Amino acid sequence: MNTLKSKLGTSFTIDTTSKTVIEFKEALIFAFMGVLRHLEQPNALASVTGAKKDSSCGVIYIPQ
């Protein structure tokens, strides 16, 4: 953040959010990836990961 602030100068301000908000957004993303996995839809896109093709990654664990 310090490097970014120094590069942008005083004409820009950077607002940061709380750790709770960041962790909540991360939890939502992983939940959505789980739904896509359950639906057998790609949840890892080649355009984002740099892979050759989209894939469906992960394991769904259902405790007994």
Side-chain angles (χ1 to χ4, degrees):
M1 293 299 292
N2 291 333
T3 302
L4 185 58
K5 287 178 184 178
S6 69
K7 298 283 184 186
L8 292 174
T10 57
S11 58
F12 292 93
T13 58
I14 299 173
D15 293 330
T16 57
T17 188
S18 70
K19 184 177 179 181
T20 303
V21 171
I22 293 170
E23 289 175 354
F24 178 74
K25 288 170 64 175
E26 183 177 336
L28 284 176
I29 290 166
F30 276 96
F32 181 62
M33 289 179 71
V35 169
L36 290 174
R37 175 69 174 104
H38 178 72
L39 297 173
E40 298 180 359
Q41 297 292 316
N43 62 10
L45 304 177
S47 61
V48 177
T49 63
K52 292 182 181 180
K53 62 180 184 175
D54 296 343
S55 63
S56 182
C57 304
V59 175
I60 297 175
Y61 175 73
I62 302 173
Q64 297 182 6

